[in-house]
Amino acid sequence: MSNANSTSETGQPALQAGAHAPLGQPETVVQRLLAANPPKGAAFIVTIYGDVVEPRGGVLWMGNLIEACAAVGISESLVRTAVSRLVAAGQLEGERVGRRSFYRLTAEARAEFAYAASILYEPHDASQWRLVYLGGGDPDAAMRRLKRLGYAALNPRLAIGPDGAPELAADALVWDASVVQGGAAMRQFATEYWDFQSYAEAFSAFIERFAPVQAMAASVEPSMALTLRLLLVHQYRGIALRAPRLPAQALPSDWAGHEARRLFAALYLALSRPAERHIANHFIDGDGALPEAGQTVRQRSAQLRQMQ
């Protein structure tokens, strides 16, 4: 039965660290995923909005946030604190309908969410380089943002990275660059500016953590499927948005990111049918049940099938 008509904003109890479940059960897998990489409140809420809410109109009831976060051990008080911080940071804005609180992404946040979605759900491989020159009196904050998006600093104002970066400040000079000579040296060049080893280790750890989910993905019940999918997106997102997305010639020949990407796509698709059922039955916005999965979600699934 749906609990969408409940008037309180209380969530389900979080997983207990000391709880015991048979080896190989979904609860055990979730506990191991949380032990290896426990999510922070604000970051996990960002994942929920990007994966579930934004494709369905962008508005969600606070009670749904509390329940989804409780399933990964984030308490109600931490959720409320994180939401307040996201509002203060200009990423969320809220409204009340009766006794309930609802939150939506701000226009500024939606642009970055769209870019992140393109990295996670679209089969895009960088085909050329992009150079960004940062103008203005203080380029440090913009450079830090570019590094979080997989760019490398050539000097304090000049960065290089993959094509397809999100919109930058008006004083940034952006142009594309293609290799016209010496392509064989591209991998050596990239190795000098990107720490491939650390990202390769992160991708390999992701594969090791999520490989056990493959055997159970098609049979887990809906609420657990959503929890597993959110953890999948959250942990993959934490690596993929920062890892270098460079032309194939620049990446190591045994780049673990390729295998991690295929695993992410396969698990996301396997978990989505039951997860979508839970969303449809339990998640609400100010008008009632969240809108059905529309063109955005169908397109996302089609693109992920190309990545397997």
Coordinates of all heavy atoms in Angstrom, one line a residue, residues 217-303:
A217 N 19.9 -8.3 -8.3 CA 19.3 -7.0 -8.7 C 17.9 -7.3 -9.3 O 17.0 -6.4 -9.0 CB 20.1 -6.4 -9.8
A218 N 17.6 -8.4 -9.9 CA 16.3 -8.6 -10.6 C 15.2 -9.0 -9.6 O 14.1 -9.1 -9.9 CB 16.4 -9.6 -11.7
S219 N 15.6 -9.4 -8.3 CA 14.7 -10.0 -7.4 C 14.4 -9.2 -6.1 O 13.6 -9.7 -5.3 CB 15.1 -11.4 -7.1 OG 16.4 -11.4 -6.5
V220 N 15.1 -8.1 -5.9 CA 14.9 -7.4 -4.7 C 13.6 -6.7 -4.7 O 13.0 -6.3 -5.7 CB 16.1 -6.4 -4.4 CG1 17.4 -7.1 -4.2 CG2 16.2 -5.4 -5.6
E221 N 13.0 -6.4 -3.5 CA 11.7 -5.8 -3.4 C 11.9 -4.3 -3.7 O 13.0 -3.8 -3.6 CB 11.1 -6.0 -2.1 CG 12.0 -5.7 -0.8 CD 11.8 -4.3 -0.4 OE1 10.8 -3.7 -0.7 OE2 12.6 -3.8 0.4
P222 N 10.8 -3.6 -4.0 CA 10.9 -2.2 -4.6 C 11.7 -1.2 -3.7 O 12.5 -0.5 -4.2 CB 9.5 -1.8 -4.8 CG 8.8 -3.1 -5.1 CD 9.4 -4.1 -4.2
S223 N 11.4 -1.1 -2.4 CA 12.1 -0.1 -1.6 C 13.6 -0.4 -1.5 O 14.4 0.5 -1.6 CB 11.5 -0.1 -0.2 OG 11.7 -1.3 0.5
M224 N 14.0 -1.7 -1.5 CA 15.4 -2.0 -1.4 C 16.1 -1.7 -2.8 O 17.2 -1.3 -2.9 CB 15.6 -3.5 -1.1 CG 17.0 -4.0 -1.0 SD 18.1 -3.1 0.1 CE 17.5 -3.7 1.7
A225 N 15.3 -2.0 -3.9 CA 15.8 -1.7 -5.2 C 16.2 -0.2 -5.3 O 17.2 0.2 -5.9 CB 14.9 -2.1 -6.3
L226 N 15.3 0.7 -4.8 CA 15.6 2.1 -4.9 C 16.8 2.4 -4.0 O 17.6 3.2 -4.4 CB 14.4 2.9 -4.4 CG 14.6 4.4 -4.4 CD1 14.9 4.9 -5.8 CD2 13.4 5.1 -3.8
T227 N 16.9 1.9 -2.8 CA 18.1 2.2 -2.0 C 19.3 1.7 -2.7 O 20.3 2.5 -2.7 CB 17.9 1.4 -0.6 OG1 16.8 1.9 0.1 CG2 19.2 1.6 0.2
L228 N 19.3 0.5 -3.2 CA 20.5 0.1 -4.0 C 20.9 1.0 -5.2 O 22.0 1.3 -5.4 CB 20.4 -1.4 -4.4 CG 20.5 -2.4 -3.3 CD1 20.0 -3.8 -3.8 CD2 21.9 -2.5 -2.8
R229 N 19.8 1.4 -5.9 CA 20.1 2.2 -7.1 C 20.6 3.6 -6.6 O 21.5 4.1 -7.3 CB 18.8 2.4 -7.9 CG 19.1 3.0 -9.3 CD 17.8 3.1 -10.1 NE 17.1 4.3 -9.8 CZ 16.0 4.8 -10.5 NH1 15.5 4.0 -11.4 NH2 15.4 5.9 -10.1
L230 N 20.1 4.2 -5.6 CA 20.6 5.4 -5.1 C 22.1 5.3 -4.7 O 22.9 6.2 -4.9 CB 19.7 6.0 -4.0 CG 18.3 6.5 -4.4 CD1 17.5 6.8 -3.2 CD2 18.5 7.7 -5.3
L231 N 22.4 4.2 -4.0 CA 23.8 4.0 -3.6 C 24.7 3.8 -4.8 O 25.8 4.3 -4.8 CB 23.9 2.8 -2.6 CG 23.4 3.1 -1.2 CD1 23.3 1.8 -0.4 CD2 24.2 4.1 -0.5
L232 N 24.2 3.1 -5.7 CA 24.9 2.9 -7.0 C 25.2 4.2 -7.7 O 26.4 4.5 -8.0 CB 24.1 2.0 -7.9 CG 24.7 1.8 -9.3 CD1 25.8 0.8 -9.3 CD2 23.6 1.3 -10.3
V233 N 24.2 5.1 -7.8 CA 24.4 6.4 -8.5 C 25.3 7.2 -7.6 O 26.2 7.9 -8.1 CB 23.0 7.0 -8.7 CG1 23.2 8.5 -9.2 CG2 22.2 6.2 -9.7
H234 N 25.1 7.2 -6.3 CA 25.8 8.1 -5.4 C 27.3 7.8 -5.5 O 28.2 8.7 -5.6 CB 25.3 8.0 -4.0 CG 25.9 9.0 -3.0 ND1 25.6 10.3 -3.1 CD2 26.8 8.8 -2.0 CE1 26.3 10.9 -2.1 NE2 27.0 10.0 -1.5
Q235 N 27.7 6.5 -5.4 CA 29.1 6.2 -5.3 C 29.7 6.3 -6.7 O 30.9 6.7 -6.8 CB 29.2 4.8 -4.7 CG 28.8 4.7 -3.3 CD 29.3 3.5 -2.5 OE1 30.2 2.8 -2.9 NE2 28.6 3.1 -1.4
Y236 N 29.0 5.9 -7.7 CA 29.6 6.1 -9.1 C 29.7 7.6 -9.4 O 30.8 8.0 -10.0 CB 28.7 5.4 -10.1 CG 29.2 5.4 -11.5 CD1 30.3 4.7 -11.9 CD2 28.7 6.3 -12.5 CE1 30.9 4.7 -13.2 CE2 29.2 6.3 -13.8 CZ 30.3 5.5 -14.1 OH 30.8 5.6 -15.4
R237 N 28.8 8.4 -9.1 CA 28.8 9.8 -9.3 C 30.0 10.4 -8.7 O 30.7 11.3 -9.3 CB 27.5 10.4 -8.8 CG 27.4 11.9 -8.8 CD 26.1 12.4 -8.3 NE 26.0 13.8 -8.2 CZ 26.4 14.5 -7.1 NH1 26.8 13.8 -6.0 NH2 26.3 15.8 -7.0
G238 N 30.3 10.0 -7.4 CA 31.5 10.6 -6.7 C 32.8 10.4 -7.4 O 33.7 11.1 -7.2
I239 N 32.9 9.3 -8.2 CA 34.1 9.1 -9.0 C 34.0 9.6 -10.4 O 34.9 10.3 -10.9 CB 34.4 7.6 -9.1 CG1 34.3 6.9 -7.7 CG2 35.8 7.3 -9.7 CD1 34.3 5.4 -7.8
A240 N 32.9 9.3 -11.1 CA 32.8 9.6 -12.5 C 32.8 11.1 -12.8 O 33.4 11.5 -13.8 CB 31.5 9.0 -13.1
L241 N 32.3 12.0 -11.9 CA 32.2 13.4 -12.2 C 33.6 14.0 -12.1 O 33.9 15.1 -12.7 CB 31.2 14.1 -11.3 CG 29.8 13.8 -11.5 CD1 28.9 14.7 -10.7 CD2 29.4 13.9 -13.0
R242 N 34.5 13.4 -11.3 CA 35.8 13.9 -11.1 C 36.9 13.3 -12.0 O 38.0 13.9 -12.2 CB 36.2 13.8 -9.6 CG 35.4 14.8 -8.7 CD 35.5 14.4 -7.3 NE 34.9 15.4 -6.4 CZ 33.6 15.5 -6.2 NH1 32.8 14.6 -6.7 NH2 33.1 16.4 -5.4
A243 N 36.6 12.1 -12.4 CA 37.6 11.3 -13.2 C 37.8 12.0 -14.5 O 36.9 12.5 -15.1 CB 37.2 9.9 -13.3
P244 N 39.0 11.9 -15.1 CA 39.2 12.5 -16.4 C 38.4 11.7 -17.5 O 38.5 10.5 -17.7 CB 40.7 12.3 -16.6 CG 41.1 11.2 -15.7 CD 40.2 11.3 -14.6
R245 N 37.6 12.5 -18.2 CA 36.9 11.9 -19.4 C 37.6 12.4 -20.6 O 37.1 13.4 -21.3 CB 35.4 12.4 -19.3 CG 34.7 11.8 -18.1 CD 33.3 12.4 -17.9 NE 33.3 13.9 -17.8 CZ 33.6 14.5 -16.7 NH1 34.0 13.9 -15.6 NH2 33.6 15.8 -16.7
L246 N 38.6 11.8 -21.0 CA 39.5 12.2 -22.1 C 39.3 11.4 -23.3 O 38.8 10.3 -23.3 CB 41.0 12.2 -21.6 CG 41.3 13.0 -20.3 CD1 42.7 12.8 -19.9 CD2 40.9 14.4 -20.4
P247 N 39.8 11.9 -24.4 CA 39.8 11.1 -25.6 C 40.5 9.7 -25.4 O 41.4 9.6 -24.6 CB 40.6 11.9 -26.6 CG 40.4 13.3 -26.2 CD 40.3 13.3 -24.7
A248 N 40.0 8.7 -26.0 CA 40.5 7.3 -25.7 C 42.0 7.2 -25.8 O 42.6 6.4 -25.1 CB 39.8 6.3 -26.7
Q249 N 42.6 7.9 -26.8 CA 44.1 7.8 -26.9 C 44.8 8.3 -25.7 O 46.0 8.0 -25.6 CB 44.5 8.6 -28.2 CG 43.8 8.2 -29.5 CD 42.6 9.1 -29.7 OE1 41.8 9.3 -28.9 NE2 42.6 9.7 -30.9
A250 N 44.2 9.1 -24.9 CA 44.9 9.7 -23.7 C 44.8 8.8 -22.5 O 45.5 9.0 -21.5 CB 44.4 11.1 -23.4
L251 N 43.8 7.8 -22.5 CA 43.6 7.0 -21.3 C 44.5 5.8 -21.3 O 44.9 5.3 -22.4 CB 42.1 6.6 -21.3 CG 41.1 7.7 -21.1 CD1 39.7 7.2 -21.3 CD2 41.2 8.3 -19.7
P252 N 44.8 5.2 -20.1 CA 45.5 4.0 -20.1 C 44.8 2.9 -20.8 O 43.5 2.8 -20.9 CB 45.6 3.7 -18.6 CG 45.4 5.0 -17.9 CD 44.5 5.8 -18.8
S253 N 45.5 1.9 -21.4 CA 44.9 0.9 -22.2 C 44.0 0.0 -21.3 O 43.1 -0.6 -21.9 CB 46.0 0.0 -22.9 OG 46.9 -0.5 -21.9
D254 N 44.3 -0.1 -20.0 CA 43.5 -1.0 -19.1 C 42.6 -0.2 -18.2 O 42.4 -0.5 -17.1 CB 44.4 -1.9 -18.3 CG 45.4 -1.1 -17.5 OD1 45.6 0.1 -17.7 OD2 46.1 -1.7 -16.6
W255 N 42.1 0.9 -18.7 CA 41.4 1.9 -17.9 C 40.2 1.3 -17.2 O 39.3 0.8 -17.9 CB 41.0 3.1 -18.8 CG 40.3 4.2 -18.1 CD1 39.1 4.7 -18.5 CD2 40.7 4.9 -16.9 NE1 38.7 5.8 -17.6 CE2 39.7 5.9 -16.7 CE3 41.8 4.9 -16.1 CZ2 39.8 6.8 -15.6 CZ3 41.9 5.8 -15.1 CH2 40.9 6.7 -14.8
A256 N 40.2 1.2 -15.9 CA 39.1 0.5 -15.1 C 37.8 1.3 -15.3 O 36.7 0.7 -15.0 CB 39.5 0.4 -13.7
G257 N 37.8 2.5 -15.7 CA 36.6 3.3 -15.8 C 35.7 2.7 -16.8 O 34.4 2.8 -16.7
H258 N 36.2 2.0 -17.9 CA 35.3 1.4 -18.9 C 34.5 0.3 -18.2 O 33.2 0.2 -18.5 CB 36.1 0.8 -20.0 CG 36.9 1.9 -20.8 ND1 36.4 3.1 -21.1 CD2 38.2 1.9 -21.3 CE1 37.3 3.8 -21.7 NE2 38.4 3.1 -21.9
E259 N 35.1 -0.6 -17.5 CA 34.4 -1.7 -16.8 C 33.4 -1.2 -15.8 O 32.3 -1.7 -15.7 CB 35.3 -2.7 -16.2 CG 34.7 -3.9 -15.5 CD 35.6 -4.8 -14.8 OE1 36.8 -4.7 -15.0 OE2 35.1 -5.7 -14.1
A260 N 33.8 -0.1 -15.0 CA 32.9 0.4 -14.0 C 31.7 1.0 -14.7 O 30.5 0.9 -14.2 CB 33.6 1.5 -13.2
R261 N 31.9 1.6 -15.9 CA 30.7 2.2 -16.6 C 29.8 1.2 -17.0 O 28.5 1.3 -16.9 CB 31.3 3.0 -17.8 CG 30.3 3.9 -18.5 CD 31.0 4.5 -19.7 NE 30.2 5.6 -20.3 CZ 30.5 6.2 -21.4 NH1 31.6 5.9 -22.0 NH2 29.7 7.1 -22.0
R262 N 30.3 0.1 -17.5 CA 29.4 -1.0 -18.0 C 28.6 -1.6 -16.8 O 27.4 -1.9 -16.9 CB 30.2 -2.1 -18.7 CG 30.7 -1.7 -20.1 CD 31.3 -2.8 -20.8 NE 32.5 -3.4 -20.2 CZ 33.7 -3.0 -20.5 NH1 33.9 -2.0 -21.4 NH2 34.8 -3.5 -19.9
L263 N 29.3 -1.8 -15.7 CA 28.6 -2.3 -14.5 C 27.5 -1.4 -14.0 O 26.4 -1.8 -13.7 CB 29.7 -2.6 -13.4 CG 29.1 -3.1 -12.1 CD1 28.4 -4.5 -12.2 CD2 30.2 -3.2 -11.0
F264 N 27.9 -0.1 -14.0 CA 26.9 0.9 -13.6 C 25.6 0.8 -14.4 O 24.5 0.8 -13.9 CB 27.5 2.3 -13.6 CG 26.5 3.4 -13.4 CD1 26.0 3.7 -12.2 CD2 26.0 4.1 -14.5 CE1 25.1 4.7 -12.0 CE2 25.0 5.1 -14.4 CZ 24.6 5.4 -13.1
A265 N 25.8 0.8 -15.7 CA 24.7 0.7 -16.6 C 23.8 -0.5 -16.4 O 22.6 -0.5 -16.4 CB 25.2 0.8 -18.1
A266 N 24.5 -1.7 -16.3 CA 23.8 -2.9 -16.2 C 23.0 -3.0 -14.9 O 21.8 -3.4 -14.9 CB 24.7 -4.1 -16.2
L267 N 23.6 -2.5 -13.8 CA 22.9 -2.6 -12.5 C 21.8 -1.6 -12.4 O 20.7 -1.8 -11.9 CB 23.9 -2.3 -11.4 CG 24.9 -3.5 -11.1 CD1 25.8 -3.1 -9.9 CD2 24.1 -4.8 -10.7
Y268 N 22.0 -0.4 -13.0 CA 21.0 0.6 -13.0 C 19.7 0.1 -13.7 O 18.6 0.3 -13.2 CB 21.5 1.9 -13.6 CG 20.5 3.1 -13.4 CD1 20.8 4.0 -12.4 CD2 19.4 3.3 -14.2 CE1 19.9 5.1 -12.2 CE2 18.6 4.4 -14.1 CZ 18.8 5.3 -13.0 OH 18.0 6.3 -12.9
L269 N 19.9 -0.5 -14.8 CA 18.8 -1.0 -15.6 C 18.1 -2.1 -14.9 O 16.8 -2.2 -14.8 CB 19.2 -1.4 -17.0 CG 19.7 -0.3 -17.9 CD1 20.4 -0.9 -19.2 CD2 18.5 0.5 -18.4
A270 N 18.8 -3.0 -14.2 CA 18.3 -4.2 -13.6 C 17.5 -3.7 -12.3 O 16.4 -4.3 -12.0 CB 19.4 -5.1 -13.1
L271 N 17.9 -2.7 -11.6 CA 17.2 -2.2 -10.4 C 16.1 -1.3 -10.7 O 15.2 -1.0 -9.8 CB 18.2 -1.5 -9.5 CG 19.3 -2.4 -8.9 CD1 20.4 -1.5 -8.3 CD2 18.7 -3.3 -7.8
S272 N 16.0 -0.8 -11.9 CA 15.1 0.3 -12.2 C 13.6 -0.1 -12.2 O 12.7 0.7 -11.7 CB 15.4 1.0 -13.5 OG 16.5 1.8 -13.3
R273 N 13.2 -1.2 -12.7 CA 11.8 -1.6 -12.7 C 11.2 -1.6 -11.3 O 10.2 -0.9 -11.0 CB 11.6 -2.9 -13.4 CG 10.1 -3.3 -13.5 CD 9.9 -4.5 -14.4 NE 10.1 -4.2 -15.8 CZ 9.9 -5.0 -16.8 NH1 9.5 -6.3 -16.6 NH2 10.2 -4.6 -18.0
P274 N 11.8 -2.4 -10.3 CA 11.2 -2.3 -9.0 C 11.4 -0.9 -8.3 O 10.5 -0.5 -7.6 CB 11.9 -3.4 -8.2 CG 13.2 -3.7 -9.0 CD 12.8 -3.4 -10.4
A275 N 12.5 -0.3 -8.6 CA 12.7 1.0 -8.0 C 11.7 2.0 -8.4 O 11.1 2.8 -7.7 CB 14.1 1.5 -8.3
E276 N 11.4 2.0 -9.7 CA 10.4 2.9 -10.3 C 9.0 2.6 -9.7 O 8.2 3.6 -9.5 CB 10.3 2.8 -11.8 CG 11.6 3.3 -12.5 CD 11.8 4.8 -12.4 OE1 10.8 5.5 -12.2 OE2 13.0 5.2 -12.5
R277 N 8.7 1.4 -9.4 CA 7.4 1.0 -8.8 C 7.3 1.7 -7.4 O 6.3 2.2 -7.0 CB 7.3 -0.5 -8.7 CG 5.9 -1.0 -8.3 CD 5.9 -2.5 -8.3 NE 6.6 -3.1 -9.4 CZ 7.5 -4.1 -9.3 NH1 7.7 -4.6 -8.1 NH2 8.0 -4.6 -10.4
H278 N 8.4 1.6 -6.6 CA 8.4 2.3 -5.3 C 8.2 3.8 -5.4 O 7.4 4.4 -4.6 CB 9.7 1.9 -4.6 CG 9.7 2.4 -3.2 ND1 9.0 1.8 -2.1 CD2 10.3 3.5 -2.6 CE1 9.2 2.5 -1.0 NE2 10.0 3.5 -1.3
I279 N 8.9 4.4 -6.3 CA 8.8 5.8 -6.5 C 7.3 6.2 -6.9 O 6.7 7.1 -6.3 CB 9.7 6.3 -7.6 CG1 11.2 6.2 -7.2 CG2 9.4 7.8 -8.0 CD1 12.2 6.3 -8.3
A280 N 6.7 5.5 -7.8 CA 5.4 5.7 -8.2 C 4.4 5.6 -7.1 O 3.4 6.3 -7.0 CB 5.0 4.8 -9.4
N281 N 4.6 4.7 -6.1 CA 3.7 4.4 -5.1 C 3.9 5.2 -3.8 O 2.9 5.3 -3.0 CB 3.7 2.9 -4.7 CG 3.2 2.0 -5.7 OD1 2.3 2.4 -6.5 ND2 3.6 0.7 -5.7
H282 N 5.0 5.8 -3.7 CA 5.3 6.5 -2.4 C 5.8 7.9 -2.5 O 5.7 8.7 -1.5 CB 6.4 5.7 -1.7 CG 6.0 4.3 -1.2 ND1 5.5 4.1 0.0 CD2 5.9 3.1 -1.9 CE1 5.1 2.8 0.1 NE2 5.4 2.2 -1.0
F283 N 6.3 8.4 -3.6 CA 6.9 9.7 -3.7 C 5.9 10.7 -4.2 O 5.2 10.5 -5.1 CB 8.2 9.7 -4.6 CG 9.4 9.2 -3.9 CD1 9.4 7.9 -3.2 CD2 10.6 9.9 -3.9 CE1 10.5 7.4 -2.6 CE2 11.7 9.4 -3.3 CZ 11.7 8.2 -2.7
I284 N 5.9 11.9 -3.5 CA 4.9 12.9 -3.9 C 5.5 14.3 -4.0 O 6.6 14.6 -3.4 CB 3.8 13.0 -2.8 CG1 4.3 13.4 -1.5 CG2 3.1 11.6 -2.7 CD1 3.2 13.7 -0.5
D285 N 4.8 15.1 -4.8 CA 5.2 16.6 -4.8 C 3.9 17.3 -4.3 O 3.0 16.7 -3.7 CB 5.6 17.0 -6.2 CG 4.5 16.8 -7.3 OD1 3.3 16.6 -6.9 OD2 4.8 16.8 -8.5
G286 N 3.9 18.6 -4.5 CA 2.8 19.4 -4.0 C 1.4 19.1 -4.5 O 0.4 19.4 -4.0
D287 N 1.4 18.4 -5.7 CA 0.1 18.1 -6.3 C -0.3 16.6 -6.1 O -1.4 16.2 -6.6 CB 0.2 18.3 -7.8 CG 0.5 19.8 -8.2 OD1 -0.2 20.6 -7.5 OD2 1.2 20.1 -9.1
G288 N 0.5 15.9 -5.4 CA 0.2 14.4 -5.2 C 1.3 13.6 -5.6 O 2.5 13.9 -5.5
A289 N 1.0 12.4 -6.2 CA 2.1 11.5 -6.6 C 3.0 12.1 -7.7 O 2.5 12.9 -8.5 CB 1.5 10.2 -7.2
L290 N 4.3 11.8 -7.6 CA 5.2 12.4 -8.6 C 4.7 12.0 -10.0 O 4.1 10.9 -10.2 CB 6.6 11.8 -8.4 CG 7.5 12.4 -7.3 CD1 8.9 11.9 -7.4 CD2 7.4 13.9 -7.3
P291 N 4.9 12.8 -11.0 CA 4.5 12.4 -12.4 C 5.2 11.1 -12.8 O 6.3 10.8 -12.3 CB 5.1 13.6 -13.2 CG 5.2 14.7 -12.3 CD 5.5 14.1 -10.9
E292 N 4.5 10.4 -13.7 CA 5.1 9.1 -14.1 C 6.4 9.4 -14.9 O 6.7 10.5 -15.4 CB 4.1 8.5 -15.1 CG 2.9 7.9 -14.4 CD 2.0 7.1 -15.4 OE1 2.5 6.8 -16.5 OE2 0.8 6.9 -15.1
A293 N 7.2 8.3 -14.9 CA 8.5 8.4 -15.7 C 8.2 8.7 -17.1 O 7.5 8.0 -17.8 CB 9.2 7.1 -15.5
G294 N 8.6 9.8 -17.6 CA 8.3 10.3 -18.9 C 9.5 10.1 -19.9 O 10.3 9.2 -19.7
Q295 N 9.6 11.0 -20.8 CA 10.5 10.9 -21.9 C 12.0 10.9 -21.4 O 12.8 10.1 -21.9 CB 10.3 12.0 -22.9 CG 11.3 12.0 -24.1 CD 11.2 10.7 -24.9 OE1 10.2 10.1 -25.0 NE2 12.4 10.3 -25.5
T296 N 12.2 11.7 -20.4 CA 13.6 11.8 -19.9 C 14.0 10.5 -19.3 O 15.2 10.0 -19.6 CB 13.7 12.9 -18.7 OG1 13.3 14.1 -19.3 CG2 15.1 12.9 -18.2
V297 N 13.2 9.8 -18.5 CA 13.5 8.5 -17.9 C 13.7 7.4 -19.0 O 14.6 6.6 -19.0 CB 12.5 8.1 -16.9 CG1 12.8 6.7 -16.3 CG2 12.5 9.1 -15.7
R298 N 12.8 7.4 -20.0 CA 12.9 6.4 -21.0 C 14.1 6.6 -21.9 O 14.8 5.7 -22.2 CB 11.6 6.5 -21.9 CG 10.3 6.0 -21.3 CD 9.2 5.9 -22.3 NE 8.8 7.1 -22.8 CZ 7.8 7.9 -22.3 NH1 7.2 7.5 -21.2 NH2 7.5 9.1 -22.9
Q299 N 14.5 7.9 -22.1 CA 15.7 8.2 -22.9 C 16.9 7.8 -22.1 O 17.9 7.2 -22.7 CB 15.7 9.6 -23.2 CG 17.0 10.0 -24.1 CD 16.9 11.5 -24.5 OE1 16.1 12.3 -24.1 NE2 17.9 11.9 -25.2
R300 N 16.9 8.0 -20.8 CA 18.0 7.6 -19.9 C 18.2 6.1 -20.0 O 19.3 5.6 -20.2 CB 17.7 8.0 -18.5 CG 18.7 7.7 -17.5 CD 18.4 8.2 -16.1 NE 18.4 9.6 -16.0 CZ 18.1 10.3 -14.9 NH1 17.8 9.7 -13.8 NH2 18.2 11.7 -15.0
S301 N 17.1 5.3 -20.0 CA 17.3 3.8 -20.0 C 17.8 3.4 -21.4 O 18.7 2.5 -21.5 CB 15.9 3.2 -19.8 OG 15.4 3.5 -18.5
A302 N 17.3 4.0 -22.5 CA 17.8 3.7 -23.8 C 19.3 4.0 -23.9 O 20.1 3.2 -24.5 CB 17.0 4.5 -24.8
Q303 N 19.8 5.1 -23.4 CA 21.2 5.4 -23.4 C 22.0 4.5 -22.6 O 23.1 4.1 -23.0 CB 21.4 6.9 -23.0 CG 20.8 7.9 -24.0 CD 20.7 9.3 -23.4 OE1 20.6 9.5 -22.2 NE2 20.7 10.3 -24.3

